[in-house]
Amino acid sequence: MALVRSVVLVVLALCAHPAMADETHGLEPTGTWDMQPVGTAPTPPMGWNSWNAFHLDLTEAGLIASAQVLVDGGFAALGYRTVNIDDGWWLKRRQGDGRLQVRTNVFPDAALAGGETSLRPWTDRLHAMGLKAGIYTDVGRNACSQAWSSDPATLPQGTRDEREVGLAGHVEQDIALYFATWNFDYIKVDGCGIAHYGADRHHVANGTFRALAPLINDTDPGQDDIPATRARYAEVRDALWRVRPRGDFVLSLCNWGTANVRDWGRQVGTMWRTSGDIDPTWGRMLHNFDSVATREFYAGPGHWNDPDMLEVGNGAFDGAHLTEARAHMALWAIEAAPLIIGTDLAAAPPAIRAILANPEVIAVDQDPAGHQGVIAYADDEREIVVKTLSVRGTKAVLLFNRLDEPTTIILTAQHLKMADSTPIALRDLTMRRDMGTMTSMRRFALAPHEALLLRAVGTPRLTHGWYLAELPGRIAVAADGIVVPQPDPTIHRMIDSHTGDTTGFGPRPTYYGWGAPRTDATVFSETLTLAGQPLRDGIGVEANSRLQLRAEGAFAHFAARVGVDDSTRGRKAGVRFEVWGDGHLLAKSAEQHFGVPPADISADITGVKVVELVARQVGADDGPVLATWGEARVD
Ligand code: GLA
C-alpha cells in the first residue's frame, strides 16, 4: 500500500506541469500533441553569443560593443535580441552557501559592496537597451573550458570544490540565481561535465577535478547513457518551469547531437545542438549543416534543431569570403535554424553586417509556420532544399553548390511541388532582386560555394491541401520504430580539426538518426517504391512508428497509398497502417506485405486536432521493416 501511495505521489509530482511528465514513445495513439513547447520560441531564437567571437577572452566592453551594434545597427529590430554570455564568466562556487561568483575582472559592474558579485547589473543594462540576456552553464560539475583550456587566467579558480561551477548538485539553486535573482531570459547548458571527466582523464587522475563517470562518449555513441543524459537535462527543464511558470525562458541543450537527443530534445529543451562545434571552415560548416538536413520532422514552432552558432564574419566566412558568408546564412535560414551571431559585430565590415541583417533571408528563417527545409535533390556536390512558407503557394528554395568549382543546377516545378504549366515567380532573397519566372524548369549557374536562396510563388501541385511532406513543422515523430539507434552515415566528414592529420581512422559517424522518418525518401535515403512503382511524394518510416499531425481542425480529409517499401530490410513481416483522430481509430489498411500493390487509405478528419499515423508491424522480425505513407496528403 505504501508503495502504491508513493508511486501515485511520484506520478502526481511528475504531472505538475505538462512538460514535466517524461513522455513515453509508445505506438498507441494519445490524441495529444507530442510537442508541447519548452519555454517560448515560436520562431527560431535569434541573438548574439560571445563564443565564436571571443572564446574565453571575454570583456564587458567587448560584449557591450556588440550589444550596442545590435541596437544601433538595426539588428535587434530584425529579431536579434538575446545577448548570450558563453563560457568564461564565472570565477568560483562559494563554499558554504554554494553561490556562484562572477569574474569581476571581466564584469566590473558585477562587483557589489561587501565582496558579493551579481550579474543583475549586467542583465538590467541589457534589458534597458531593449535586449534579452543569456547565460551559460554545464549540466555536469565542470565546464568545457576546464576540460580543454589550460589558461588559468580564464578558468574558474580556487579549490577543487570551488571550481565545480556546473549545475550538478546545484540545479535548483543555480537556476533560481540565474532566472530569479539575476533575471536572465535564456540559458545554454553544455555537456562537457558529463562527457570529459572520467577517472582516466589526466585532469581527473591528477586530482584537479572530481571524477564523473561519462554519460556521453563523444567518439562511440553506442556507449552513451541516453536515459541518464536526458534525465540530467530534464532536471534543468523542470527547475526552469518552477522559476518561470509562464514559460518565459529559452533552454538551449548543448550536448552536440549525442545521446540520441534528436529523439528527445523537443521534450526537454527549446532547441538542441545536432552536432559538434562549428568552426570557421567550409568543411565544418557543411558538417553542421548536414547534421540538421534530414531532421525536418523534429523541428517546428517552439522547438528547433540547432546546427550551432553562426560563423558569418569569421575565418572562411569573413569579409574576404562573402560568397561563403552568404551561403552559410542562407543554409541556416532554409533550415529554420536559430540565428545566433558569433562574430565581433563592432569590428565586422559593412558587407558582413548586411548579410546578417538581410531582412528577406531572416524572414525565411523566421517564417511563422516553422517548417524546416526538406531535401528535394542531393548529390555530393549540389543540393536543392525547399521550405514551405506560411503563405500558400509560396516556398523558399535553396540551390547550393558545395564544391569549389562552378556548377549548374536545374530547378523544376516538381521539386517545389508546384504545377508545371503555370508561371512560378522567383526572387533572389540574398541579392534582393526579382529573377522573372520559370514554368516547368530553369537552369542556374552557380559559382563555387554559392548558395542561391530564392522565393518561389506559384500554383501548388495539389489544387487543394498539402502533401504532408510539405508540412514538417506540423508533424511530430512520437515513435520512430528504431529498435537500436544507429549513427547517421550521410553527414559530411570534414578534416578533423583537432588533429588535422591522418594518423587515426578519420571522423566516424557519431550522431544517431539513421532510420528516422524522411520526406520523399525511405528512412535509408532510398527512393520510395511500392510494388515496383517509384513515388516522388510521401513519408518513409520504419514499422512500429507513430507520426502526429497537428491538424487543429484545419483539414477535412486524409489520404495516402500505403505499403511495405520495396527496399525493406525485413521482408517477412506485415504492416497495418492506421489513421487516428484525437485518439479514435478512423481508418486502417489490410495487412500489407513486401511486393504487394499498395493500399489506398483515407479518412474524414473534419474537426480533428491531432491526427496520428501508425504503421504497426505484424509478425516476423527479420530486420527493419520499411513502411511508406505514399503521397500522404491532407485537404
Ligand atoms: C562547448 C560548446 C561550445 C562552447 C564551448 C565553451 O564546446 O559546444 O558551443 O560553449 O563549449 O567552452
Side-chain angles (χ1 to χ4, degrees):
M1 189 60 193
L3 178 66
V4 170
R5 202 172 55 230
S6 57
V7 168
V8 168
L9 286 176
V10 167
V11 169
L12 285 176
L14 282 173
C15 293
H17 188 281
M20 285 163 115
D22 253 341
E23 309 75 350
T24 56
H25 280 47
L27 202 52
E28 297 317 315
T30 60
T32 310
W33 177 236
D34 201 44
M35 301 232 250
Q36 296 305 327
V38 176
T40 305
T43 58
M46 292 176 70
W48 180 91
N49 176 293
S50 56
W51 182 252
N52 290 347
F54 301 124
H55 294 98
L56 294 171
D57 298 325
L58 296 180
T59 61
E60 195 172 39
L63 299 174
I64 275 295
S66 279
Q68 200 63 53
V69 177
L70 290 184
V71 177
D72 300 343
F75 289 84
L78 289 163
Y80 293 106
R81 258 185 221 105
T82 307
V83 174
N84 293 295
I85 319 167
D86 208 276
D87 205 343
W89 64 266
W90 34 32
L91 180 68
K92 63 173 66 162
R93 185 180 293 284
R94 187 164 67 195
Q95 300 303 289
D97 67 356
R99 179 174 158 127
L100 260 301
Q101 303 295 295
V102 182
R103 183 180 287 281
T104 51
N105 61 348
V106 173
F107 290 97
D109 289 354
L112 305 184
E116 184 58 280
T117 64
S118 169
L119 282 173
R120 184 64 189 241
W122 169 252
T123 63
D124 284 348
R125 193 168 172 189
L126 292 177
H127 290 147
M129 293 168 77
L131 299 171
K132 294 189 171 218
I135 195 164
Y136 167 94
T137 185
D138 194 287
V139 78
R141 291 191 198 106
N142 296 100
C144 290
S145 53
Q146 294 174 299
W148 299 114
S149 167
S150 54
D151 176 5
T154 59
L155 295 176
Q157 293 172 7
T159 64
R160 190 196 65 182
D161 292 351
E162 284 174 321
R163 284 182 280 103
E164 291 187 348
V165 291
L167 289 172
H170 298 272
V171 173
E172 295 293 334
Q173 177 182 21
D174 289 359
I175 294 299
L177 178 69
Y178 301 157
F179 282 82
T181 313
W182 290 353
N183 207 19
F184 277 94
D185 308 289
Y186 180 119
I187 189 163
K188 170 175 166 183
V189 183
D190 221 326
C192 287
I194 57 170
H196 303 302
Y197 291 87
D200 57 338
R201 296 286 172 122
H202 172 71
H203 52 253
V204 175
N206 70 12
T208 309
F209 301 109
R210 251 201 296 175
L212 195 155
L215 306 178
I216 293 170
N217 183 308
D218 59 357
T219 52
D220 180 0
Q223 295 188 38
D224 289 350
D225 187 336
I226 297 170
T229 303
R230 176 185 168 139
R232 292 255 183 172
Y233 278 106
E235 206 187 328
V236 182
R237 171 199 66 190
D238 295 348
L240 275 161
W241 276 117
R242 276 189 280 277
V243 179
R244 291 283 171 92
R246 287 184 304 140
D248 45 344
F249 65 86
V250 167
L251 171 55
S252 162
L253 311 180
C254 184
N255 65 311
W256 328 290
T258 68
N260 208 15
V261 66
R262 167 196 65 90
D263 183 50
W264 49 266
R266 70 186 184 282
Q267 293 164 334
V268 177
T270 322
M271 56 197 261
W272 50 92
R273 286 274 298 277
T274 52
S275 71
D277 288 4
I278 195 166
D279 64 36
T281 62
W282 184 251
R284 187 72 213 193
M285 191 278 294
L286 290 180
H287 175 91
N288 283 45
F289 171 69
D290 286 353
S291 73
V292 289
T294 58
R295 307 281 199 269
E296 63 269 18
F297 291 128
Y298 294 86
H303 35 81
W304 307 101
N305 288 315
D306 176 14
D308 206 357
M309 304 172 288
L310 295 166
E311 290 281 13
V312 173
N314 306 334
F317 310 97
D318 68 6
H321 300 89
L322 294 178
T323 301
E324 286 76 9
R326 289 189 192 107
H328 179 6
M329 184 73 187
L331 264 60
W332 263 232
I334 200 82
E335 297 297 7
L339 295 179
I340 310 294
I341 297 171
T343 198
D344 179 359
L345 275 178
I352 290 295
R353 290 192 188 188
I355 289 168
L356 290 164
N358 180 329
E360 300 191 37
V361 174
I362 293 171
V364 170
D365 183 82
Q366 295 288 303
D367 183 84
H371 300 299
Q372 189 176 305
V374 302
I375 294 173
Y377 174 89
D379 58 35
D380 284 348
E381 301 177 31
R382 299 165 299 185
E383 264 172 284
I384 302 176
V385 183
V386 178
K387 182 183 198 288
T388 303
L389 300 177
S390 42
V391 177
R392 185 168 167 81
T394 306
K395 297 204 165 163
V397 55
L398 177 96
L399 311 181
F400 181 36
N401 178 11
R402 298 166 70 107
L403 284 191
D404 43 16
E405 290 163 24
T407 193
T408 299
I409 293 184
I410 299 173
L411 174 68
T412 71
Q414 180 85 266
H415 291 132
L416 297 165
K417 299 195 196 298
M418 288 183 182
D420 60 7
S421 51
T422 52
I424 299 169
L426 298 175
R427 179 172 171 80
D428 177 343
L429 302 176
T430 302
M431 295 307 182
R432 307 186 67 186
R433 60 180 177 219
D434 289 337
M435 296 194 73
T437 60
M438 62 177 256
T439 40
S440 64
M441 61 176 65
R442 183 158 161 181
R443 179 185 295 265
F444 296 85
L446 279 92
H449 294 176
E450 185 176 1
L452 262 179
L453 183 65
L454 307 175
R455 189 183 59 217
V457 182
T459 310
R461 176 138 49 83
L462 286 179
T463 323
H464 302 291
W466 305 88
Y467 290 108
L468 288 191
E470 295 179 279
L471 305 175
R474 292 186 87 127
I475 290 173
V477 183
D480 60 19
I482 296 171
V483 178
V484 180
Q486 291 181 61
D488 185 338
T490 64
I491 294 167
H492 177 79
R493 298 181 304 148
M494 66 290 151
I495 295 170
D496 183 340
S497 56
H498 292 301
T499 67
D501 65 30
T502 59
T503 52
F505 289 108
R508 293 265 164 92
T510 50
Y511 314 126
Y512 288 136
W514 193 228
R518 291 286 307 278
T519 302
D520 301 339
T522 75
V523 300
F524 298 132
S525 277
E526 296 149 321
T527 303
L528 296 172
T529 312
L530 293 176
Q533 195 190 341
L535 300 172
R536 285 290 305 224
D537 307 289
I539 297 178
V541 297
E542 288 198 20
N544 285 337
S545 61
R546 175 166 58 97
L547 301 180
Q548 292 193 328
L549 167 70
R550 184 169 44 86
E552 290 174 326
F555 310 112
H557 306 107
F558 168 86
R561 297 167 67 205
V562 294
V564 174
D565 200 274
D566 285 5
S567 64
T568 188
R569 306 301 192 258
R571 292 188 170 191
K572 292 187 183 147
V575 176
R576 210 169 55 229
F577 294 79
E578 302 167 0
V579 181
W580 295 69
D582 294 337
H584 303 287
L585 182 64
L586 303 179
K588 71 175 181 204
S589 73
E591 198 176 307
Q592 293 300 113
H593 285 274
F594 170 68
V596 169
D600 287 326
I601 186 168
S602 62
D604 180 346
I605 55 169
T606 308
V608 168
K609 291 195 174 60
V610 179
V611 174
E612 291 178 86
L613 305 178
V614 177
R616 197 182 292 271
Q617 183 172 329
V618 187
D621 209 348
D622 62 334
V625 181
L626 304 200
T628 291
W629 293 91
E631 293 162 7
R633 57 202 182 275
V634 288
D635 61 39

